[in-house]
Amino acid sequence: MTDRDRPAPEAFLRAAAQEGRGKLKIFLGAAPGVGKTYEMLSEGAARRRAGVDVVVGVVETHGRAETQALTHDLEILPRRSEPYQGRVLDEMDLDALLERRPQLALVDELAHTNAPGSRHPKRYQDVEELLAAGIDVYSTINVQHIESLNDIVASFTRIRVRETVPDSVLEQAEIEVVDIPPDELIERLKEGKVYLPHEATRALGHFFSKSNLSALRELALRRAAQAVDAQMLEHLRANALGGTWAGSERIVVAVSELSGADGLVRAAKRIADALHAPWTAVHIETARTRQFDPEDHKRVAAVLALATQLGGQVATLPAASVTEGLKTFLTDARATQLIVGKSSRSRLFELRHGSVVDRLVRQTPDVAVHVLPLKPATADVPARSRKRKRSLGDWGAPSGYVYTSLMVAGVTAAGSSLFHILDLGNVALLFLLPVMAAASLFGLRTGLFAGLLSSLAYNFFFLPPTGTLTVNNPENVISIIVLLGVAAVTSQLTSRVRLQADLAATSARTNAALAGYLREITALNDADEVARAACVEIARLLAVKVVLLKQSETGFAIQAASEAGFDLETMELAAAQWVSDTGQPAGRGTATLTASDWRFQPLQAGERILGVLGLARDDGGDPVRSDQLALLASLIDQTALALERLRLETEMRDVDTVRERDRLRAALLSSVSHDLRTPLTSVLAAAAELRRTREDPLLETIESEAMRLNRFVANLLDMTRVEAGALKLNIEPVDLTDAVASAVHDTRRSLEGHAIQLEVAPDLPLVRVDPQLFHHCLLNLLDNAGRYGNPGSPITVRAERRYDDLLLSVLDEGVGVPPGREDEVFETFRRLEGSDRSISGTGLGLAIVKGFAEAMGMTVSATNRTDRTGAVFTIGFPERLLVRGSDQELDI
């Protein structure tokens, strides 16, 4: 069984990974209103009638009566309520669905964003958990929510959706396209079956134009076709089925070192774009590739780099011949179209060597072959010199002919000594030995030379009349012809076996190098050690100088190198920075910043650039030959994976440390605050009772300080509630005038000496907030202004309407906030450098203000005053929190 007839082991591994998992089916639509939810519910109802346990996890009917009717006969799981910004959001109850464990779950709107507080931020992650639990899932999605198509849709609809689903989710799913013509969808929109009438009118003029719907429809159909094609190829590889199976177009372009190969790549890009098909540029390495000079390798590398820049895949495949290599690659890739170039050759050359294009056309009947003319080779002197050098090199080394002559002489001597006991035919067989040895050791042409020399020696020394090249007996002429023919065939076969052995040895060496490299770097547990080992091993394998750079506070710096003493110039560092910013290679041998002697490659894991690998040669040539690109790509990928593993392990350790620290801090805060609350209550009660019976200034001091300590304890409790997400909101309309007056009254003692200036108009709209939490926010802002304002300076509370928002500000006349660090003042336990340490405080007050404000849907910010020194802390109320007119009911 050949590799081509054997099922792909990767397909088996992917199939094994799916064992025990549920199956996902996605109903894909071009736009809202095409009937995705209706189709999903219809199939769910049909499955239920067939005896399948079906449960609706979540469904959005959007008030459509026909869709709502389909839910009557289905079990609908109650939703989970999640409070958010004064509202209660209903989300799918994932835990209840896992506990119910149906055979099939219907989960509408795959791209939905879950409410804060849910286990997963996205609904497709909920679906992933259901699939992992072995539950089949039906879901729906519109094409604009697919991550890879998001920007394409936005380019012509002028609307970019924020909720997207990774393409990897669709790759593992069965896709059913729910499609209706644009005219029919527009008619449904006009009839109010998609949106309410006033919304439908606006939608028709924007998103739901016929041109937009036609383009969206084409995208949906093409995306579904790509998914089906990928699944079909996976099935073919898993079952070792032959054939092209041209469900969609797959394009391959063959590139070489000849001039004009870049034109083939550009032509492949144009054809692929016209057909919306994937394409690959492939270079076949043969025995002739070993005779390439640096210029040839540079041209191949440049063509492959161009293919990568144009969005194609690249591959390098060793083979005995170009034809065999291309046939193998076309079969493995299930390609439907091949683009090759045909150079201008003489008729004599084609008669001697044949035509690769003609052989491809004959031997690949299932593939459409595009033949494009290549530019004729330049006739300059250096090109002729290279051609002559290469032609001479094809005949083999002179030492091979010398050793072949000696072998033929040795066989002739042995035949002469054994001639009296061997007949003439057996002596002829002896001469096959140097032919086979020469062809195996030195190549085809040397083997043919051995055959010719052997026939001459056999004729001269053994055929009568001996000592001449004359042949009297016709039978001996036939023996010589047969000897030459056998010698030629044996040389051809032996040379081919030798070439295949060399290719197998090269592949084995590459695999062994990768295995050894991977074994060495995965055994290390320190990023710097991995970087040093990577540089040393890559330098050894590719015979180059290697550096690995990483981002530091001052720019790019060398993290490790294959040897000491490297000092990169400004141009090299700029090239490395460009590689880090763009994720594309640069430097010598690429299409960008070619003046540098170094070639820089990004070390990329996912979307993150972990570092930049630099390669150079001592002679200043191209750091990487074209036949080394595949090996370099594998080494880079393994290095990036090793560094990413260490980074993630470090982050996990840090996360565990932070999580444990936060847990201990929360437990300490809760314990201390509760333990202080009881004695404080007793102190305040005792002070109030003593003040009722006597007048003593000390009692007022005791009561004032106890109340301040009580607020501190309350802040500790509030901070614990904020960080634990345990705030319970009681939203109701509040008058800002009353709220500000109440807060000023409660802080009159702590603000003694400060004049309070109120600039709150009585005609401002009511705001929807939690009165108690909002009161705490105002108390902390006023207390902060009293602490950091200058002694005796006024404190201003100002409320003003600005556009659609309402702003409430507290202004003091103190030192203000350090410029550029306005956001830091809201961090827990943060007191900025330069603040007066004599002022008491814990750094909790402003953090509590931010936590409470964001929980209620408000914003909070800090700036400096423009009219004088001092800080301004502002709470912003968006329009949705304002009560319009006399309406004081909560509209959720």
Side-chain angles (χ1 to χ4, degrees):
M1 180 182 290
T2 64
D3 289 341
R4 202 173 305 171
D5 302 324
R6 184 182 297 113
E10 297 85 0
F12 278 128
L13 291 175
R14 285 189 286 270
Q18 294 298 320
E19 287 294 327
R21 285 178 58 88
K23 296 180 180 178
L24 174 63
K25 181 174 182 178
I26 294 177
F27 295 85
L28 175 64
V34 297
K36 303 179 301 300
T37 304
Y38 186 91
E39 186 67 21
M40 179 186 70
L41 292 173
S42 298
E43 287 210 19
R47 293 288 302 276
R48 184 178 182 276
R49 289 191 295 270
V52 177
D53 183 16
V54 180
V55 170
V56 176
V58 62
V59 63
E60 302 292 347
T61 62
H62 300 289
R64 298 163 191 162
E66 64 274 16
T67 305
Q68 184 68 38
L70 290 175
T71 64
H72 293 161
D73 296 331
L74 294 171
E75 177 186 348
I76 301 178
L77 199 70
R79 300 196 191 186
R80 170 181 55 84
S81 297
E82 190 71 36
Y84 177 65
Q85 295 187 354
R87 295 181 295 170
V88 177
L89 303 179
D90 292 332
E91 295 291 352
M92 182 179 72
D93 195 337
L94 177 60
D95 291 325
L97 192 55
L98 290 170
E99 185 178 355
R100 170 64 175 76
R101 199 175 181 82
Q103 292 176 278
L104 174 62
L106 307 184
V107 181
D108 204 7
E109 296 188 358
L110 186 63
H112 172 75
T113 299
N114 292 330
S118 303
R119 178 150 74 244
H120 302 298
K122 296 289 186 178
R123 183 168 290 169
Y124 73 82
Q125 295 171 317
D126 295 337
V127 170
E128 287 285 348
E129 190 167 345
L130 292 174
L131 295 173
I135 301 173
D136 294 345
V137 177
Y138 284 179
S139 190
T140 63
I141 190 175
N142 286 325
V143 68
Q144 64 264 31
H145 295 285
I146 300 175
E147 179 65 43
S148 62
L149 302 178
N150 181 255
D151 56 341
I152 298 177
V153 174
S155 66
F156 60 82
T157 63
R158 302 295 187 268
I159 299 174
R160 180 181 291 274
V161 297
R162 301 299 179 187
E163 296 178 324
T164 58
V165 173
D167 288 58
S168 58
V169 176
L170 278 74
E171 290 168 1
Q172 63 177 335
E174 175 188 351
I175 295 180
E176 178 177 328
V177 178
V178 182
D179 182 46
I180 63 174
D183 291 335
E184 185 176 340
L185 179 57
I186 292 174
E187 189 63 30
R188 284 174 51 84
L189 193 68
K190 292 179 179 178
E191 294 173 357
K193 295 181 178 180
V194 180
Y195 294 126
L196 295 176
H198 69 280
E199 295 176 343
T201 303
R202 185 176 59 180
L204 281 170
H206 296 83
F207 186 85
F208 282 82
S209 65
K210 185 172 181 178
S211 57
N212 284 350
L213 293 177
S214 299
L216 290 170
R217 188 185 187 196
E218 181 181 2
L219 284 176
L221 293 172
R222 289 190 179 279
R223 185 61 184 84
Q226 290 176 9
V228 171
D229 185 63
Q231 291 166 3
M232 179 192 68
L233 292 179
E234 184 75 10
H235 176 74
L236 296 178
R237 295 188 183 102
N239 295 277
L241 300 178
T244 303
W245 298 83
S248 65
E249 299 295 338
R250 294 176 286 276
I251 300 171
V252 172
V253 54
V255 300
S256 67
E257 83 287 357
L258 298 177
S259 59
D262 55 343
L264 298 180
V265 170
R266 294 187 179 92
K269 169 64 174 175
R270 292 192 296 270
I271 294 175
D273 286 347
L275 298 175
H276 296 275
W279 62 286
T280 303
V282 60
H283 171 62
I284 306 300
E285 293 181 354
T286 62
R288 193 173 65 89
T289 307
R290 303 172 190 170
Q291 302 167 5
F292 282 1
D293 57 21
E295 288 298 321
D296 294 330
H297 284 294
K298 184 177 180 180
R299 281 193 293 272
V300 173
V303 172
L304 294 178
L306 175 63
T308 301
Q309 293 172 6
L310 295 179
Q313 301 293 321
V314 297
T316 302
L317 181 69
S321 67
V322 173
T323 305
E324 289 298 321
L326 284 176
K327 285 175 57 182
T328 300
F329 188 84
L330 292 172
T331 302
D332 293 340
R334 313 278 177 170
T336 60
Q337 299 194 34
L338 171 66
I339 301 174
V340 294
K342 184 172 178 61
S343 56
S344 200
R345 303 287 191 183
S346 65
R347 186 65 179 169
L348 178 61
F349 181 91
E350 292 192 357
L351 289 175
R352 289 172 53 200
H353 302 283
S355 171
V356 172
V357 173
D358 293 341
R359 287 195 292 268
L360 285 172
V361 172
R362 288 195 302 269
Q363 298 176 21
T364 57
D366 296 333
V367 179
V369 181
H370 300 264
V371 182
L372 304 180
L374 291 176
K375 297 178 181 178
T378 55
D380 55 345
V381 175
R384 289 199 301 271
S385 300
R386 289 198 302 272
K387 183 176 180 180
R388 183 164 53 251
K389 178 181 177 181
R390 189 178 303 150
S391 178
L392 291 174
D394 289 344
W395 287 97
S399 59
Y401 293 94
V402 174
Y403 289 125
T404 299
S405 301
L406 293 176
M407 286 189 289
V408 172
V411 169
T412 302
S416 298
S417 61
L418 298 176
F419 186 69
H420 62 285
I421 61 175
L422 297 176
D423 59 21
L424 197 59
N426 291 332
V427 171
L429 294 177
L430 291 177
F431 282 98
L432 293 178
L433 297 177
V435 174
M436 296 176 62
S440 176
L441 295 175
F442 308 114
L444 175 62
R445 286 180 171 82
T446 309
L448 293 176
F449 170 76
L452 178 63
L453 188 61
S454 295
S455 64
L456 293 175
Y458 176 66
N459 184 12
F460 189 83
F461 291 104
F462 297 103
L463 293 181
T466 59
T468 69
L469 295 178
T470 304
V471 180
N472 293 331
N473 190 345
E475 294 181 357
N476 294 333
V477 175
I478 295 176
S479 297
I480 294 175
I481 293 174
V482 169
L483 179 62
L484 283 173
V486 171
V489 173
T490 304
S491 299
Q492 179 73 22
L493 293 177
T494 307
S495 176
R496 182 174 298 179
V497 170
R498 175 173 178 261
L499 178 59
Q500 292 177 347
D502 289 344
L503 293 175
T506 301
S507 178
R509 285 194 299 271
T510 301
N511 293 334
L514 285 174
Y517 178 75
L518 182 60
R519 185 169 54 251
E520 179 171 350
I521 63 174
T522 52
L524 302 175
N525 293 315
D526 181 76
D528 291 334
E529 292 180 2
V530 169
R532 283 192 293 271
C535 291
V536 171
E537 285 300 308
I538 294 176
R540 181 181 64 83
L541 293 173
L542 301 180
V544 293
K545 301 184 294 185
V546 180
V547 295
L548 197 154
L549 301 96
K550 68 175 183 179
Q551 190 76 46
S552 64
E553 295 181 356
T554 58
F556 257 78
I558 296 178
Q559 182 181 7
S562 56
E563 56 188 75
F566 287 150
D567 186 17
L568 299 182
E569 302 291 337
T570 303
M571 181 173 60
E572 277 75 25
L573 293 177
Q577 184 66 57
W578 187 87
V579 171
S580 177
D581 294 339
T582 63
Q584 299 294 326
R588 179 65 63 88
T590 68
T592 306
L593 302 174
T594 56
S596 173
D597 290 334
W598 289 77
R599 178 191 181 103
F600 294 100
Q601 298 277 155
L603 292 175
Q604 189 167 359
E607 299 297 326
R608 182 187 297 268
I609 303 295
L610 303 175
V612 174
L613 191 74
L615 304 95
R617 291 190 181 275
D618 291 327
D619 58 5
D622 285 345
V624 184
R625 301 193 309 270
S626 60
D627 57 331
Q628 295 176 325
L629 288 174
L631 176 58
L632 175 62
S634 298
L635 294 173
I636 289 176
D637 289 342
Q638 298 297 340
T639 305
L641 287 176
L643 293 174
E644 178 69 0
R645 173 181 62 85
L646 294 176
R647 186 189 68 82
L648 291 176
E649 289 178 356
T650 302
E651 284 190 358
M652 286 303 299
R653 287 194 296 267
D654 294 341
V655 167
D656 290 341
T657 301
V658 171
R659 186 182 293 117
E660 181 64 18
R661 185 188 66 191
D662 288 345
R663 187 186 66 82
L664 292 175
R665 185 180 67 177
L668 178 62
L669 289 176
S670 179
S671 176
V672 170
S673 57
H674 280 93
D675 290 342
L676 289 176
R677 179 61 63 88
T678 300
L680 273 174
T681 303
S682 301
V683 170
L684 286 171
E689 182 63 24
L690 288 174
R691 286 193 63 190
R692 190 175 63 83
T693 59
R694 69 175 69 180
E695 290 291 338
D696 192 333
L698 291 177
L699 291 176
E700 185 176 352
T701 302
I702 292 173
E703 189 174 16
S704 175
E705 293 302 314
M707 290 180 65
R708 190 162 66 90
L709 183 58
N710 189 50
R711 284 200 302 272
F712 167 70
V713 174
N715 282 342
L716 289 177
L717 283 173
D718 290 340
M719 199 67 243
T720 305
R721 292 162 60 200
V722 169
E723 294 184 345
L727 287 177
K728 295 182 179 180
L729 302 180
N730 181 25
I731 303 296
E732 60 183 60
V734 172
D735 190 325
L736 281 182
T737 305
D738 295 341
V740 171
S742 177
V744 171
H745 178 270
D746 288 348
T747 56
R748 63 189 185 281
R749 291 183 179 175
S750 61
L751 298 181
E752 189 175 358
H754 294 277
I756 307 299
Q757 300 176 357
L758 300 180
E759 300 179 5
V760 182
D763 59 346
L764 291 175
L766 304 183
V767 293
R768 296 184 177 103
V769 294
D770 184 309
Q772 185 177 0
L773 297 184
F774 184 57
H775 186 68
H776 277 286
C777 291
L778 294 178
L779 289 180
N780 283 312
L781 289 179
L782 290 170
D783 183 70
N784 181 80
R787 292 175 186 277
Y788 292 97
N790 296 328
S793 61
I795 297 174
T796 302
V797 180
R798 178 182 301 157
E800 56 184 335
R801 192 73 185 271
R802 184 172 298 177
Y803 303 109
D804 293 331
D805 297 341
L806 191 152
L807 304 179
L808 177 66
S809 304
V810 178
L811 301 82
D812 63 48
E813 295 185 9
V815 296
V817 181
R821 307 185 63 182
E822 290 82 359
D823 292 337
E824 296 182 32
V825 298
F826 295 105
E827 296 179 7
T828 308
F829 299 115
R830 172 58 66 93
R831 301 187 68 192
L832 300 182
E833 295 81 355
S835 60
D836 190 350
R837 295 295 174 181
S838 64
I839 300 175
S840 61
T842 60
L844 279 175
L846 294 178
I848 291 172
V849 172
K850 183 177 179 64
F852 284 1
E854 291 181 348
M856 291 183 286
M858 302 181 295
T859 61
V860 61
S861 61
T863 58
N864 286 315
R865 299 183 63 164
T866 57
D867 56 341
R868 65 195 70 185
T869 60
V872 181
F873 292 88
T874 302
I875 296 178
F877 301 86
E879 185 180 9
R880 66 177 181 275
L881 297 182
L882 305 182
V883 179
R884 297 180 181 89
S886 60
D887 179 17
Q888 299 202 10
E889 294 183 0
L890 191 58
D891 181 20
I892 298 297

